[in-house]
Amino acid sequence: MLKKQLIMEKALELFSEQGFEATSVQQITERCGISKGAFYLSFKTKDELMISMVDYYLQQFIIDIDRVVKCVPNKETMLVEFYKSIFQAFREHSASSRVFLNEKAFIVKKELFDKVTAYEAEMSKSIIYMLEQLYGDTLHHTKYDVMYCIKGFMKSYAELFIFSDMPLDLEQLAQSLAEKTDIIARHTTIPFITEEFVSLIAKPYEKEITKDTLLQLMEQNMDHTEDSIEKESLELLKQQVEKTTYSRAIIKGLIENLRPDPAYNWIAYVSAKYFHI
Amino acid sequence: MLKKQLIMEKALELFSEQGFEATSVQQITERCGISKGAFYLSFKTKDELMISMVDYYLQQFIIDIDRVVKCVPNKETMLVEFYKSIFQAFREHSASSRVFLNEKAFIVKKELFDKVTAYEAEMSKSIIYMLEQLYGDTLHHTKYDVMYCIKGFMKSYAELFIFSDMPLDLEQLAQSLAEKTDIIARHTTIPFITEEFVSLIAKPYEKEITKDTLLQLMEQNMDHTEDSIEKESLELLKQQVEKTTYSRAIIKGLIENLRPDPAYNWIAYVSAKYFHI
DNA sequence: TATACTAATGACTAATCGGTCATTTGTCAA
DNA sequence: TTGACAAATGACCGATTAGTCATTAGTATA
């Protein structure tokens, strides 16, 4: 497990320097200080490494956004907090941003493309949720356009973090973009992106969370860990997925137990969606 | 010359399907129906092909934008025309957009990165010029932010053209984005990107047009052509670059002669800048 | 110490890569 | 028909690739 992480981190460095295709497994193992054989003990193929990396790096990003959107109590500051959180992530993980967020264009393998698209759809959902919280029904026919604008702001300004290492005032950037977003939300009258439009585009990639997929996800993360509150919570939660007997409060409690642990926070995120919590 | 174009077009298809590194010279020559040796008669290396392709495809894009920005007489419709022109290009050349515009992130070769960055800087200049025409001094401390927003809108909405083949109403899209741009321009109060900031980022890539670089560019495009008005115009213009004797009107006329021809429109664009026309 | 097991190694393979060059083909004028 | 020249070919090169597997090193148990 730790070996996997080491490989993913060194591979990220190399991919961000040279690109995926131009980086050889040899180079990765050299930077890790391990043998080629050891690499293939952790990952079946080079492609599988890339797929794992997408999960490893994008899940955290999605969870961060979702937390801000769901937890900030003050509507006045939500947009600012949202942007601050986003760009903080860009700054701290500029290498992974370079590799994964900008852009899907060079992701030519369908499986990877679908994965990245699915994560982006998750992000879009969080943004839409935020806009609904902030503006309610007044925005109902332009909210998808506002979402596209927000994603555009992210892409455009992310460049500053990804391609230069200048010191940037996060607070002012967030203020500036929050103001722009608010202006757009309040004044836009001509919509372009409609709800059915979004559903047409997004649907093919959208994987709904079924009992089976969730159980499978849980089993994958079951083994490699010693006894702990987290492990017990996960086991109980798994039983509840198979047959729900506890109250929603208990289930929520179990989920919250898992959330802080990086090894389980994606399971927590998905479980919360599954139980509609 | 025609062989070069054939190779670039087939290579574009393959790069857009598989990416640059994953596409072999073999594959390119097979799709062209030529031998491997013939490829290396046109391009010294695979890298040189990519560099030529950046020029070939991005120059046209830059020229298109600049024409709209400089020639649309009506300020009321300029933003709409600007967006219409941009997205028309995305629609018609979705393959090259996929390869070049989204994103620089996977361009790991410095020479290519600098080239793409330089072309993007040209685009930024056109956008700034447009904003100055439209809003004048009232925008002077937020114009760079508005430019970044415009580029964000482009990146975000371009996705629709690049990753889906749905029929899209260009007119309505342009109207929608023009409205958003206008709203942002009129209401933004908190700037983030300042002039010195832009100069700090852009300068390293900015190549000024010197007499020598322009002459060099002209010489490169001198040979492969039979006698024509265009060729004569180019020769006269070259003399004027070496030693200016004619009036500005005549020089402008010569430049305009070159503009319509795809083989010379980049020279026309650069010459106009050189002579400040 | 002996045994049993897993973790790790790196030489190896078959395939493919970008790039070269002796050779052939095609096209002119003489 | 010939000779001269340019255009095009594809077998070939050394280097590198992803992936394999017989072997070894390390560790825990008995």
Side-chain angles (χ1 to χ4, degrees):
Chain A
M1 200 56 200
L2 257 117
K3 181 70 66 59
K4 268 194 174 188
Q5 268 185 38
L6 173 71
I7 293 171
M8 287 196 281
E9 274 157 29
K10 298 300 180 187
L12 182 72
E13 291 174 19
L14 285 161
F15 290 169
S16 115
E17 292 162 14
Q18 317 175 346
F20 174 72
E21 294 283 352
T23 301
S24 69
V25 174
Q26 191 91 284
Q27 284 176 298
I28 296 169
T29 58
E30 273 165 18
R31 188 165 292 200
C32 291
I34 62 171
S35 69
K36 214 166 170 193
F39 173 90
Y40 285 96
L41 291 178
S42 292
F43 299 98
K44 276 207 286 292
T45 63
K46 193 183 163 192
D47 279 1
E48 201 200 83
L49 163 66
M50 190 59 172
I51 290 166
S52 299
M53 286 173 69
V54 171
D55 285 329
Y56 184 72
Y57 289 103
L58 289 193
Q59 280 174 7
Q60 203 52 56
F61 190 76
I62 300 298
I63 291 166
D64 278 0
I65 294 178
D66 202 64
R67 198 194 51 241
V68 173
V69 162
K70 297 264 164 73
C71 299
V72 169
N74 189 347
K75 282 191 185 181
E76 307 300 310
T77 61
M78 189 184 276
L79 274 173
V80 175
E81 292 302 317
F82 168 81
Y83 281 116
K84 253 174 24 192
S85 158
I86 296 271
F87 287 104
Q88 193 141 24
F90 283 153
R91 181 159 71 186
E92 279 168 24
H93 311 290
S94 68
S96 61
S97 305
R98 203 166 16 242
V99 174
F100 295 115
L101 283 170
N102 282 270
E103 262 304 309
K104 300 182 299 188
F106 275 82
I107 298 179
V108 286
K109 277 163 186 124
K110 192 175 176 339
E111 189 178 355
L112 276 179
F113 180 89
D114 288 353
K115 222 177 223 308
V116 173
T117 306
Y119 282 120
E120 204 184 306
E122 283 295 315
M123 185 181 72
S124 299
K125 270 192 235 164
S126 289
I127 294 175
I128 289 292
Y129 177 88
M130 175 176 74
L131 291 175
E132 282 166 350
Q133 294 296 308
L134 287 175
Y135 302 103
D137 278 349
T138 59
L139 204 66
H140 79 277
H141 64 295
T142 56
K143 67 181 171 189
Y144 293 104
D145 276 282
V146 177
M147 177 195 77
Y148 262 69
C149 291
I150 291 175
K151 294 205 309 194
F153 295 156
M154 284 169 53
K155 288 181 193 190
S156 197
Y157 283 78
E159 208 173 271
L160 304 173
F161 294 86
I162 291 173
F163 298 116
S164 92
D165 46 5
M166 289 180 65
L168 296 167
D169 183 343
L170 266 187
E171 182 67 36
Q172 173 149 8
L173 173 59
Q175 294 280 355
S176 176
L177 290 182
E179 187 201 37
K180 288 176 183 59
T181 306
D182 190 58
I183 290 167
I184 291 272
R186 288 183 194 283
H187 295 84
T188 293
T189 63
I190 308 172
F192 179 71
I193 296 172
T194 59
E195 180 140 19
E196 64 258 69
F197 195 103
V198 169
S199 69
L200 265 173
I201 293 181
K203 272 287 150 53
Y205 310 114
E206 193 131 10
K207 279 190 298 196
E208 69 175 320
I209 305 156
T210 65
K211 194 188 223 182
D212 287 343
T213 56
L214 182 52
L215 285 174
Q216 208 180 322
L217 183 64
M218 286 173 157
E219 269 155 28
Q220 280 166 15
N221 292 270
M222 216 71 178
D223 40 356
H224 39 67
T225 175
E226 66 290 352
D227 284 338
S228 62
I229 291 279
E230 286 79 18
K231 183 166 188 178
E232 200 188 330
S233 301
L234 180 56
E235 272 163 6
L236 287 171
L237 198 58
K238 182 157 173 271
Q239 290 167 21
Q240 292 302 303
V241 173
E242 281 161 341
K243 183 167 162 50
T244 309
T245 55
Y246 293 159
S247 72
R248 281 171 56 81
I250 293 178
I251 289 172
K252 179 162 165 50
L254 293 172
I255 290 172
E256 294 307 321
N257 290 344
L258 297 176
R259 241 186 245 284
D261 188 328
Y264 297 120
N265 56 6
W266 185 249
I267 289 183
Y269 175 81
V270 175
S271 299
K273 289 217 156 195
Y274 179 78
F275 286 110
H276 302 101
I277 289 170
Chain B
M1 199 55 200
L2 257 116
K3 179 72 63 62
K4 269 195 174 188
Q5 268 185 39
L6 172 71
I7 293 172
M8 288 196 280
E9 273 158 30
K10 298 300 180 187
L12 181 72
E13 291 174 19
L14 285 161
F15 291 169
S16 117
E17 291 162 16
Q18 317 175 346
F20 174 72
E21 294 282 353
T23 301
S24 69
V25 174
Q26 191 91 281
Q27 284 176 299
I28 296 169
T29 58
E30 273 166 20
R31 189 165 294 199
C32 292
I34 61 171
S35 69
K36 214 167 167 189
F39 174 92
Y40 284 95
L41 290 177
S42 292
F43 299 99
K44 276 206 285 292
T45 64
K46 193 184 165 192
D47 279 0
E48 199 199 85
L49 163 66
M50 191 60 172
I51 290 166
S52 299
M53 285 173 69
V54 171
D55 285 330
Y56 185 72
Y57 289 104
L58 288 193
Q59 281 174 7
Q60 203 53 56
F61 190 76
I62 300 297
I63 290 166
D64 278 0
I65 294 178
D66 201 65
R67 198 195 51 241
V68 173
V69 163
K70 296 268 164 70
C71 299
V72 170
N74 190 346
K75 282 192 184 180
E76 307 300 311
T77 61
M78 190 184 274
L79 274 173
V80 175
E81 292 304 316
F82 168 80
Y83 280 117
K84 256 182 8 198
S85 160
I86 296 271
F87 288 104
Q88 193 142 24
F90 283 154
R91 181 159 70 184
E92 280 167 24
H93 312 290
S94 68
S96 61
S97 305
R98 204 169 11 245
V99 174
F100 296 115
L101 284 171
N102 284 268
E103 267 302 310
K104 300 181 300 188
F106 274 81
I107 298 179
V108 284
K109 276 161 187 127
K110 189 171 178 341
E111 188 178 355
L112 276 178
F113 181 88
D114 288 353
K115 223 177 223 304
V116 173
T117 305
Y119 281 120
E120 204 183 307
E122 283 294 315
M123 186 181 71
S124 298
K125 270 192 234 162
S126 289
I127 294 175
I128 289 291
Y129 177 88
M130 175 176 74
L131 291 174
E132 281 166 351
Q133 294 295 309
L134 287 175
Y135 301 103
D137 278 348
T138 60
L139 205 65
H140 78 277
H141 64 293
T142 56
K143 67 182 172 189
Y144 292 105
D145 276 284
V146 177
M147 178 195 78
Y148 262 69
C149 292
I150 291 174
K151 295 206 308 196
F153 295 155
M154 282 168 55
K155 286 181 194 190
S156 197
Y157 284 78
E159 206 174 274
L160 305 173
F161 294 86
I162 291 173
F163 298 116
S164 93
D165 47 4
M166 288 180 64
L168 297 167
D169 184 342
L170 265 187
E171 182 67 36
Q172 172 148 9
L173 172 59
Q175 295 280 355
S176 177
L177 290 182
E179 188 202 37
K180 288 175 182 58
T181 306
D182 190 57
I183 291 167
I184 291 272
R186 288 182 194 286
H187 294 84
T188 293
T189 64
I190 309 173
F192 180 71
I193 296 171
T194 58
E195 181 141 18
E196 63 257 70
F197 195 102
V198 168
S199 69
L200 264 173
I201 293 181
K203 271 287 151 51
Y205 310 115
E206 193 132 6
K207 278 187 299 195
E208 68 174 320
I209 305 155
T210 64
K211 193 188 221 180
D212 285 344
T213 57
L214 181 51
L215 285 174
Q216 207 181 324
L217 182 66
M218 287 173 158
E219 269 155 28
Q220 279 166 17
N221 292 269
M222 216 73 179
D223 41 355
H224 40 67
T225 174
E226 64 291 351
D227 285 338
S228 63
I229 288 281
E230 285 80 17
K231 181 166 189 178
E232 200 188 330
S233 301
L234 180 56
E235 273 164 3
L236 286 170
L237 198 59
K238 181 158 174 271
Q239 290 167 20
Q240 293 302 303
V241 173
E242 282 161 341
K243 183 168 164 48
T244 309
T245 55
Y246 294 160
S247 71
R248 282 171 57 81
I250 293 177
I251 289 171
K252 179 163 166 48
L254 293 174
I255 290 173
E256 295 307 321
N257 290 344
L258 297 177
R259 242 186 243 285
D261 188 329
Y264 297 120
N265 56 6
W266 185 250
I267 289 183
Y269 176 80
V270 175
S271 298
K273 289 217 157 195
Y274 179 78
F275 286 110
H276 302 101
I277 288 171

